[in-house]
Amino acid sequence: MANKQPAQAATMTQVPTHERLKLAALIVTAMLLAAALSASGTWWLMAQRLPALAETVAEPAFPVPPAIYENLDPPFVVNLKQGGQSRYLQVAIALMGRHAEELNALKAHLPLLRSRLLMLFSGQDLAHLASAEGKEQLRQQATLEVQQVAQQVLGIPVVEQVLFTGLVVQ
């Protein structure tokens, strides 16, 4: 046993330090190259599958019917008071839905719908309507009002959005 230990010790001391460093650097470089190839291969495979995944996600389970628009004519005109002066607000509206039968059923209740929207519009503050955010909030409130009326009389919201096709403050 005594003879084997010096022989092993002799082989370790016989390999120069710079050779061991070269060997370690070669091993580290090979490992980094393998990791880079693995990462780029994974990226390439995912990039090949991504368009197919996007197509399957983009297709809804049930096709959405095309939008149908119903204009509410004539436009709404209301008086607004600002600092003792009388001002006018005119709003032209289109209702956006997906089913013609439901929109036609809602038409039977246009007097109620117009009344509720007139009350909403006549309660507005002109300073608030001067900004784009104020107009968008009013549009969202009008959408909720129309959906509430439809829910009340038909049992379904019917209208997806109320769109302002014209808005004039004078």
Side-chain angles (χ1 to χ4, degrees), residues 91-167:
V91 184
I93 288 184
L95 305 177
M96 185 184 106
R98 300 282 175 185
H99 304 285
E101 307 83 34
E102 294 172 355
L103 282 172
N104 286 333
L106 186 60
K107 284 182 189 178
H109 303 281
L110 278 180
L112 175 61
L113 188 63
R114 289 188 69 85
S115 173
R116 297 272 291 270
L117 288 173
L118 279 170
M119 297 307 287
L120 174 67
F121 296 147
S122 65
Q124 296 303 304
D125 178 38
L126 283 174
H128 185 67
L129 290 177
S131 68
E133 294 86 20
K135 291 174 183 132
E136 178 59 22
Q137 284 179 351
L138 179 59
R139 189 192 67 76
Q140 290 174 3
Q141 289 173 343
T143 298
L144 287 174
E145 196 69 38
V146 169
Q147 288 174 339
Q148 286 174 356
V149 168
Q151 187 71 39
Q152 177 186 351
V153 296
L154 300 174
I156 51 175
V158 178
V159 174
E160 217 173 285
Q161 288 187 57
V162 168
L163 304 171
F164 288 170
T165 57
L167 192 136

Side-chain angles (χ1 to χ4, degrees), residues 19-147:
E19 290 294 326
R20 281 189 269 162
L21 289 175
K22 280 184 181 179
L23 182 61
L26 183 63
I27 291 172
V28 168
T29 304
M31 289 174 55
L32 288 174
L33 182 62
L37 286 172
S38 174
S40 63
T42 302
W43 176 82
W44 183 78
L45 285 173
M46 292 304 290
Q48 296 297 317
R49 292 182 181 181
L50 191 60
L53 289 174
E55 288 176 7
T56 59
V57 171
E59 295 175 11
F62 300 102
V64 178
I68 300 169
Y69 301 97
E70 184 68 42
N71 290 320
L72 293 185
D73 290 323
F76 295 83
V77 179
V78 294
N79 293 325
L80 301 175
K81 294 281 185 184
Q82 181 184 16
Q85 290 183 328
S86 185
R87 305 285 298 265
Y88 298 99
L89 170 67
Q90 178 180 349
V91 184
I93 288 184
L95 305 177
M96 185 184 106
R98 300 282 175 185
H99 304 285
E101 307 83 34
E102 294 172 355
L103 282 172
N104 286 333
L106 186 60
K107 284 182 189 178
H109 303 281
L110 278 180
L112 175 61
L113 188 63
R114 289 188 69 85
S115 173
R116 297 272 291 270
L117 288 173
L118 279 170
M119 297 307 287
L120 174 67
F121 296 147
S122 65
Q124 296 303 304
D125 178 38
L126 283 174
H128 185 67
L129 290 177
S131 68
E133 294 86 20
K135 291 174 183 132
E136 178 59 22
Q137 284 179 351
L138 179 59
R139 189 192 67 76
Q140 290 174 3
Q141 289 173 343
T143 298
L144 287 174
E145 196 69 38
V146 169
Q147 288 174 339

